[in-house]
Amino acid sequence: MLRLLRAQSVLEARLSPELGSVHGLGLNELLLLMQLGRAPLHRLRRVDLAARLNTSQSTITRMTAPLEKTGLVKRESDPRDSRVGYVALTKTGRTRVAETEITLQRMAEEIFRDRWSDKDIATLAGLLGRFTATLPGDIA
Amino acid sequence: MLRLLRAQSVLEARLSPELGSVHGLGLNELLLLMQLGRAPLHRLRRVDLAARLNTSQSTITRMTAPLEKTGLVKRESDPRDSRVGYVALTKTGRTRVAETEITLQRMAEEIFRDRWSDKDIATLAGLLGRFTATLPGDIA
DNA sequence: TTAATATACTTGCATGCGGAAGTACATTGC
DNA sequence: GCAATGTACTTCCGCATGCAAGTATATTAA
């Protein structure tokens, strides 16, 4: 179990810098945008987004501010309930996510290429899924 | 692979609060002390400790300061090389680590109890080991 | 209707972290 | 021996984050 904690830090240390330098997005920003990309209408309420990213609402507020400025994301309101603010992917945002996901995919292949069979990967994903299953918006 | 990132945050969210409230140690502090506990003479150079925790040296400096104050850890110097500062577990520190590890063990069992067989756990540990193998001081 | 409670979000504050710069010491090459 | 380089550590600064408090709106109960 302790290995899970360590493995994450190894992985993050490897992924984060390249994503940042190539696409100007932090790993967490990418994960946020990916959640939006998979949501209906490419948008989510801020509370739901926080739950999916297993983080706090205040983090969402602060993370989305710069993304709005760069135009990857925009605010939308709910006519039924004026408390809620949706975070919605813009068209620019969608293309940017797509590009970055390709890079991520390439890096994943690079990491797994050596000693991992497809079966190993599937097994790992399955076992880890038991942890992440408690979260909404689980990602394959 | 994304699941690995999510699984860690789920796990940390579950472990951290209880460890803090029961033993007054953060999860990262415990991991630090555990590394010392497994090292020869119960001590490590600060650089090596940073490498084992996959963190920066400055983090080690800041984390050890409070641990020194509470007497769980003490400084030792190297007569051969006066640049190095060892971080060494005190006797108090050793008993505290032992107590806390028991709590951790209990929590782990609680988490895995339901849907996990011993074989599942072993498989997961093995697969994750491929990531952590690059770090010194890997922990079972 | 109105008061009490619940929900969605933002802001202020404190904490934990990494990186760069600074200091002290050790090692290498001449 | 001494200059140049490398290593161990600390401190400073900025960034990301959670929590608690505050605001605005919605829902529930009387």
Side-chain angles (χ1 to χ4, degrees):
Chain A
M1 187 182 57
L2 299 173
R3 273 193 182 150
L4 182 53
L5 303 174
R6 312 189 88 210
Q8 187 270 351
S9 76
V10 171
L11 198 53
E12 185 176 336
R14 183 151 177 191
L15 294 178
S16 249
E18 181 159 349
L19 286 177
S21 61
V22 175
H23 295 284
L25 286 178
L27 179 54
N28 289 337
E29 286 177 321
L30 175 59
L31 294 175
L32 187 156
L33 296 176
M34 284 174 64
Q35 286 289 347
L36 295 179
R38 292 159 209 277
L41 296 176
H42 299 296
R43 69 178 200 178
L44 283 172
R45 301 191 310 162
R46 302 170 106 82
V47 209
D48 299 329
L49 191 47
R52 281 163 195 256
L53 296 174
N54 203 31
T55 188
S56 68
Q57 286 194 34
S58 50
T59 299
I60 300 298
T61 299
R62 272 182 300 246
M63 283 183 74
T64 50
L67 294 174
E68 282 176 35
K69 282 209 169 172
T70 52
L72 299 178
V73 134
K74 68 176 188 293
R75 266 164 200 274
E76 290 178 3
S77 53
D78 186 333
R80 304 287 187 124
D81 186 337
S82 49
R83 289 171 304 177
V84 328
Y86 288 96
V87 186
L89 262 187
T90 62
K91 195 167 170 106
T92 324
R94 285 203 291 280
T95 66
R96 184 70 150 282
V97 169
E99 292 165 9
T100 314
E101 278 197 69
I102 290 173
T103 302
L104 183 64
Q105 185 60 35
R106 185 183 52 67
M107 294 175 71
E109 281 163 11
E110 196 174 308
I111 289 173
F112 288 125
R113 193 193 321 126
D114 293 336
R115 294 171 300 160
W116 294 77
S117 69
D118 287 351
K119 191 175 174 185
D120 289 337
I121 298 177
T123 304
L124 180 61
L127 290 171
L128 290 174
R130 300 191 190 176
F131 288 103
T132 60
T134 58
L135 294 179
D138 200 6
I139 287 184
Chain B
M1 184 181 58
L2 299 173
R3 274 194 181 150
L4 182 52
L5 303 175
R6 311 189 89 211
Q8 186 271 349
S9 76
V10 171
L11 198 52
E12 184 175 337
R14 184 150 176 191
L15 294 177
S16 249
E18 182 160 349
L19 285 177
S21 61
V22 175
H23 295 284
L25 285 178
L27 179 55
N28 288 337
E29 286 177 321
L30 175 60
L31 293 176
L32 187 155
L33 295 176
M34 285 175 65
Q35 284 290 346
L36 294 179
R38 291 160 210 280
L41 296 176
H42 299 294
R43 68 178 202 179
L44 283 172
R45 301 191 310 162
R46 303 169 105 82
V47 209
D48 299 329
L49 192 46
R52 280 164 195 255
L53 296 173
N54 203 30
T55 187
S56 68
Q57 286 195 33
S58 51
T59 298
I60 300 298
T61 299
R62 266 175 284 109
M63 284 183 71
T64 50
L67 294 174
E68 282 176 35
K69 280 209 171 174
T70 52
L72 299 178
V73 134
K74 66 177 190 292
R75 268 164 199 274
E76 291 178 3
S77 54
D78 186 332
R80 304 288 186 125
D81 187 337
S82 49
R83 289 170 305 178
V84 328
Y86 288 96
V87 186
L89 263 187
T90 61
K91 193 166 172 105
T92 323
R94 286 202 290 280
T95 66
R96 184 71 150 282
V97 170
E99 292 165 10
T100 313
E101 278 197 70
I102 290 173
T103 302
L104 183 65
Q105 184 59 35
R106 184 183 52 69
M107 295 175 70
E109 280 163 12
E110 195 174 309
I111 289 173
F112 288 124
R113 193 191 325 124
D114 293 335
R115 295 170 299 159
W116 295 77
S117 68
D118 287 351
K119 191 175 173 186
D120 288 337
I121 298 177
T123 305
L124 179 61
L127 290 172
L128 291 173
R130 300 192 190 176
F131 288 103
T132 59
T134 57
L135 293 180
D138 199 6
I139 287 184

